[in-house]
Amino acid sequence: MTDSPVSVHPACRFQSFSEPSDPAHVAPRVAALRQALSKLGLDGFIVPRADEHQGEYVPAHMARLAWLTGFTGSAGNAVILRDKAALIVDGRYTLQSAEQTDPAIITPTRMEVTALDRWVELNLTAGAKLGYDPWLHTVDGVSKLEKAAAAAGGALVAVKVNPIDALWSDRPAPPAAPVRAHRAEFAGETAASKLARIQEALTKARVDALVVSDPHALAWAFNIRGGDVEHTPLPLGYAIVPREGRPTVFLEPEKVTNEAGDAIGAVGEIAPPAALQKQIEALGAAKAKVRLDAGTAAAALAMLIRDAGGTPDAGTDPIALMKARKNTAELEGTRAAHLRDGAAIVRFLHWLAREAPKGGLTEIDAVAALEDERARTGLLKDVSFTTIAGAGPNAALPHYRVSEQSNRRIEPGIFLVDSGGQYEDGTTDITRTMAIGEPTAEMRDRYTRVLKGHVAISRVVFVKGTSGAQLDALARLPLWQAGLDFDHGTGHGVGSYLSVHEGPQRLSKLGTTPLEPGMILSNEPGYYKTGEYGIRIENLIVVEERQIPGGDRTIYGFETITWAPYERALIDLSLLDEGEIAWINAYHAQVWSNLAPLMEGEAKAWLEQACLPL
């Protein structure tokens, strides 16, 4: 954080710069929770960063982990025992967790070192009862925790009412965003057609019904969109899809617009969320075998089915892969979205190149300027996530979120911007790292190694059946050769006017799903020098089939759909081979060809220079 006062740009339309966490709240809130647990006869409680749908983004009234610990990251768990407590996060949030919580009360712990179940096994005392909310954990997650508690000589106990809710006096109200129909021209397939495919999959799986617990799957299957979580057009709700017959969608009736109601009514029934339990119990009473999504379905759903006499079947939701393989309309839409988004990015980069060297700009100024450029398209619905705009050492935090307290001036060095837009025809996500002033030789070396990894992914071809885990190392090799690496995955899946983080496809050591045509992923290797600077380069790519003359296997590659120049001032040509230089030059030629018709004036002239051959 800068030592001198920093001016704060007026608030953006889509994101806030207030700091939501305060470590001073941690001690009294943990003390209050421990007192409440004692009254319940519990020796501890697990507080995950989750809602009933296990989504990455949770509505404000479900942010129990942030309320208790101060930690606002997108993944984590707290375990509160009588005499100790831990905040367990992955490597992305090592620094953030230590800054946001009170380490005298809660010990930040890296998941890679001690996973949640292992921490329970090591720290729960014999005879202790560890509470959990079964709506906030998956079936598999509960199974691991039960084994860990048993290994420690204790027991895992489900609670009917989350004890935090009674302590949270200023808890926000549940979201009430309208549910709207997603236009056919963007969906590319009717809900009736999708449901027929889903029911066919249920028949093959020999299950009687599917509980749709993931709001992304709900939105895709019924061609609806909402606004219940920030930056992602999700309607929070459920559906039950029987193997035969009409499905039921569970949404608050007052949220459903007439158009969406008519669209859902054409293929199924609409019922209030309060009716979900009764219908699930009816399935159980009928001895039904009910598929639950192992990744998102709450353990409470399995309990309801089992207690009523049915068989919960935790497995893969067939909607996940269907949704991941984008159809022609979805791909055409995302290409169009990326063209207008690319033009907005270039106008922003030109503005930054012109204004930043003058001094006085801040991270918040940059976020506001970029949002303004996207808004100029006239089609922006929201940003696709809170913009990461990091100057200097803040760029070294992969998931940095600028606040009024952390806001830095953009000074000579590195400036990183990771951002995206939500448009009805597509979701975008792009990162560019810029040099402000003259970069050091080390910065140029690191940037070029990241660029080499980025280009390697862009150019790769691979046989059908290949997973993201098998490709991830290509992005890291140039860094490994210098004894360097980065602690996040190389790429995540991206939805179609849905979440900017979509599974099951990913480029990661954990990415085991085979990549298939139509899947959209990010390609974003990076390098982070703690306390000094950070580098990341990101484009979105689409899996496509490739024809290899003389080949006898089905081969895939990636189509790049993001358009914006790389930072020439940070490229060390001596580290690039001829093939890499040729690819970058061809990419820049395509950036110019695609975006020049959308540009004018000084920004167009800047783009032309930025796209000249290396």
Side-chain angles (χ1 to χ4, degrees):
M1 181 175 175
T2 183
D3 294 329
S4 57
V6 174
S7 61
V8 176
H9 193 283
C12 293
R13 175 183 173 188
F14 296 116
Q15 46 199 317
S16 166
F17 303 110
S18 62
E19 179 53 72
S21 63
D22 183 353
H25 292 314
V26 174
R29 290 176 180 176
V30 169
L33 177 59
R34 282 176 169 149
Q35 186 176 9
L37 295 176
S38 180
K39 292 179 180 178
L40 293 171
L42 296 173
D43 301 288
F45 192 69
I46 301 172
V47 185
R49 200 274 187 184
D51 64 3
E52 291 95 334
H53 305 281
Q54 314 299 319
E56 179 180 4
Y57 304 107
V58 301
H61 79 297
M62 289 291 176
R64 297 182 181 94
L65 183 66
W67 177 85
L68 181 68
T69 69
F71 174 66
T72 59
S74 64
N77 292 274
V79 189
I80 310 299
L81 301 181
R82 291 182 184 274
D83 60 346
K84 64 182 69 175
L87 173 60
I88 302 171
V89 300
D90 64 50
R92 297 173 296 170
Y93 295 115
T94 301
L95 296 177
Q96 182 177 334
S97 60
E99 292 174 352
Q100 290 188 318
T101 197
D102 182 348
I105 304 298
I106 300 178
T107 303
T109 304
R110 280 193 63 172
M111 178 184 72
E112 295 86 349
V113 177
T114 309
L116 173 61
D117 56 338
R118 180 60 177 163
W119 193 95
V120 169
E121 183 177 344
L122 292 173
N123 292 277
L124 193 67
T125 57
K129 295 180 179 179
L130 180 63
Y132 77 103
D133 184 338
W135 286 99
L136 305 182
H137 297 264
T138 64
V139 174
D140 288 347
V142 169
S143 177
K144 290 180 180 179
L145 290 169
E146 285 177 337
K147 291 176 182 177
L156 193 69
V157 180
V159 300
K160 292 185 177 180
V161 178
N162 195 303
I164 287 179
D165 297 350
L167 305 174
W168 193 353
S169 59
D170 58 347
R171 188 182 181 194
V179 178
R180 305 182 187 280
H182 188 47
R183 290 157 59 182
E185 64 190 277
F186 301 134
E189 183 180 8
T190 65
S193 172
K194 292 177 179 180
L195 287 165
R197 289 203 284 144
I198 295 166
Q199 290 180 319
E200 181 181 358
L202 298 181
T203 299
K204 289 181 179 179
R206 297 181 179 179
V207 295
D208 299 301
L210 166 71
V211 175
V212 182
S213 55
D214 181 353
H216 303 85
L218 176 70
W220 181 87
F222 292 91
N223 286 340
I224 55 176
R225 297 295 187 268
D228 286 339
V229 300
E230 65 175 5
H231 311 319
T232 306
L234 290 181
L236 294 182
Y238 295 88
I240 294 177
V241 181
R243 187 172 59 191
E244 296 178 351
R246 286 166 66 85
T248 301
V249 176
F250 299 89
L251 292 167
E252 295 290 355
E254 62 270 19
K255 292 169 53 174
V256 182
T257 62
N258 290 337
E259 185 182 18
D262 291 342
I264 297 171
V267 294
E269 313 301 329
I270 301 176
L276 175 67
Q277 180 171 337
K278 184 176 180 179
Q279 288 209 23
I280 286 179
E281 289 172 342
L283 285 171
K287 308 299 182 185
K289 184 178 182 180
V290 183
R291 172 60 56 89
L292 299 175
D293 179 24
T296 66
L301 295 170
M303 292 177 181
L304 289 172
I305 295 167
R306 189 180 298 111
D307 291 348
T311 303
D313 178 57
T316 301
D317 181 344
I319 296 173
L321 267 179
M322 296 178 190
K323 175 166 54 66
R325 296 185 291 244
K326 307 298 181 290
N327 60 42
T328 299
E330 290 171 322
L331 291 176
E332 288 178 352
T334 199
R335 292 186 187 106
H338 278 82
L339 287 175
R340 82 175 71 92
D341 199 70
I345 288 288
V346 168
R347 290 194 299 268
F348 164 76
L349 292 176
H350 165 249
W351 170 84
L352 184 72
R354 184 188 68 218
E355 298 298 326
K358 299 177 184 178
L361 285 185
T362 69
E363 294 167 337
I364 288 179
D365 292 330
V367 173
L370 180 50
E371 185 175 303
D372 286 346
E373 291 296 349
R374 284 195 165 102
R376 280 180 57 187
T377 67
L379 295 175
L380 182 70
K381 295 296 184 181
D382 198 344
V383 294
S384 56
F385 57 98
T386 300
T387 299
I388 299 169
N394 286 344
L397 304 172
H399 289 257
Y400 171 67
R401 175 174 179 167
V402 59
S403 68
E404 293 174 359
Q405 290 74 30
S406 70
N407 190 28
R408 289 184 66 92
R409 293 190 188 280
I410 300 174
E411 298 174 335
I414 289 287
F415 182 62
L416 181 154
V417 181
D418 185 350
S419 67
Q422 290 282 14
Y423 306 92
E424 280 189 278
D425 52 357
T427 300
T428 71
D429 184 3
I430 175 174
T431 307
R432 287 296 182 265
T433 302
M434 308 302 291
I436 309 301
E438 185 66 25
T440 66
E442 180 184 281
M443 290 174 178
R444 296 179 72 235
D445 176 275
R446 303 305 191 253
Y447 180 92
T448 307
R449 291 181 184 278
V450 171
L451 180 59
K452 285 170 70 70
H454 173 86
V455 172
I457 293 295
S458 304
R459 297 171 64 193
V460 69
V461 294
F462 50 95
V463 70
K464 178 181 179 180
T466 300
S467 69
Q470 294 171 279
L471 301 179
D472 179 78
L474 296 175
R476 301 176 188 274
L477 183 58
L479 290 165
W480 286 351
Q481 290 169 334
L484 310 168
D485 201 0
F486 53 94
D487 291 330
H488 56 75
T490 297
H492 52 81
V494 179
S496 177
Y497 191 43
L498 277 172
S499 179
V500 75
H501 290 161
E502 176 182 89
Q505 73 276 26
R506 60 199 298 193
L507 293 174
S508 159
K509 298 172 186 177
L510 304 177
T512 57
T513 298
L515 302 179
E516 299 183 32
M519 289 180 171
I520 302 175
L521 302 107
S522 68
N523 170 13
E524 51 178 313
Y527 172 75
Y528 311 93
K529 189 170 185 180
T530 302
E532 295 193 30
Y533 64 88
I535 292 163
R536 188 161 63 252
I537 304 170
E538 177 186 19
N539 287 341
L540 296 193
I541 52 180
V542 180
V543 182
E544 63 178 3
E545 188 166 351
R546 295 285 177 84
Q547 299 300 321
I548 306 295
D552 61 5
R553 298 291 182 94
T554 299
I555 300 295
Y556 299 146
F558 293 120
E559 170 198 0
T560 295
I561 58 174
T562 299
W563 307 109
Y566 302 121
E567 175 57 284
R568 302 172 72 89
L570 283 168
I571 297 176
D572 182 346
L573 278 174
S574 70
L575 293 177
L576 298 175
D577 62 34
E578 291 183 2
E580 291 165 337
I581 292 173
W583 189 92
I584 294 168
N585 285 340
Y587 174 74
H588 277 159
Q590 194 64 52
V591 171
W592 171 251
S593 175
N594 286 347
L595 300 187
L598 306 177
M599 309 301 298
E600 57 186 20
E602 294 181 359
K604 184 174 183 177
W606 179 89
L607 176 63
E608 185 174 19
Q609 291 298 309
C611 290
L612 291 175
L614 295 178

